C-alpha cells in the first residue's frame, strides 16, 4: 500500500480572472483576505495566498481563514474596520484512511491510530457551521 500526498494546484480560471496571482497561480490577498487587485473582492482557502504568509494548501488554513472571511464580509457591508487573519506557521495534518484510522503528521513526525481518526472527526464537526 502507498499513500502519496501532493500540494494543491491553482485552477486555471484564477489566473484568467484579472486579479493579481502569486507565482503558483493563487489569488494574492492581504491579511484582511481582500484581494490586492480589488478590495471589494475577498478570497480565502485553497484559492488564495496571503501576501507575506505563504502556507501549504490544507484544511486548517481554509477553516480558520473562513471564519475571518465571514466576519469581514459582514463588517465591510456595515462600513466597519476589518479583522486580520495571520495564519499559524506550524500545524497538525490529519488524513483519514477510510478504515476508521488516520495518519497525523507534524513536521517530520507521523503516526497512525484509531484515536487520530476520532480527533479528526471531532475537529471537523466542531468547525462545520
Amino acid at each position: 500500500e502507498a499513500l502519496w500526498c501532493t500540494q494543491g494546484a491553482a485552477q486555471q480560471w484564477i489566473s484568467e480572472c484579472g486579479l493579481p496571482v502569486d507565482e503558483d497561480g493563487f489569488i494574492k490577498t492581504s491579511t484582511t483576505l481582500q484581494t490586492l487587485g480589488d478590495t471589494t473582492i475577498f478570497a480565502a482557502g485553497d484559492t488564495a495566498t496571503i501576501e507575506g504568509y505563504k502556507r501549504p494548501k490544507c484544511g486548517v488554513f481554509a477553516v480558520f481563514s473562513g471564519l475571518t472571511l465571514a466576519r469581514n464580509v459582514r463588517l465591510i457591508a456595515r462600513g466597519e474596520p476589518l479583522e486580520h487573519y495571520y495564519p499559524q506557521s506550524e500545524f497538525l495534518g490529519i488524513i483519514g484512511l477510510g478504515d476508521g484510522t488516520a495518519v497525523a503528521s507534524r513536521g517530520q513526525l507521523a503516526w497512525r491510530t484509531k484515536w487520530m481518526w476520532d480527533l479528526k472527526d471531532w475537529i471537523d464537526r466542531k468547525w462545520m457551521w
Side-chain angles (χ1 to χ4, degrees):
E1 293 182 27
L3 176 65
W4 185 6
C5 298
T6 61
Q7 176 69 312
Q11 297 291 311
Q12 185 164 343
W13 69 264
I14 293 173
S15 63
E16 297 169 354
C17 72
L19 295 169
V21 296
D22 68 7
E23 63 277 2
D24 296 320
F26 296 100
I27 299 170
K28 287 181 175 181
T29 72
S30 67
T31 56
T32 60
L33 307 176
Q34 293 169 291
T35 64
L36 298 184
D38 184 337
T39 58
T40 64
I41 299 173
F42 291 82
D46 293 348
T47 64
T49 297
I50 299 169
E51 189 170 59
Y53 296 91
K54 187 171 181 173
R55 298 291 187 266
K57 301 302 175 198
C58 66
V60 67
F61 301 115
V63 167
F64 283 119
S65 67
L67 296 172
T68 302
L69 175 65
R71 284 191 210 98
N72 281 350
V73 168
R74 287 190 293 273
L75 290 169
I76 200 169
R78 294 191 302 241
E80 297 177 17
L82 304 183
E83 295 181 8
H84 294 267
Y85 169 67
Y86 301 100
Q88 61 205 61
S89 58
E90 295 182 9
F91 62 96
L92 176 67
I94 307 175
I95 299 172
L97 300 180
D99 64 355
T101 67
V103 173
S105 64
R106 183 175 174 126
Q108 304 240 351
L109 300 174
W111 60 101
R112 174 186 177 180
T113 66
K114 161 117 177 57
W115 68 268
M116 275 300 157
W117 168 253
D118 295 336
L119 176 61
K120 177 177 177 37
D121 186 55
W122 177 80
I123 291 169
D124 290 349
R125 291 175 190 274
K126 177 181 173 190
W127 287 104
M128 288 184 184
W129 34 285

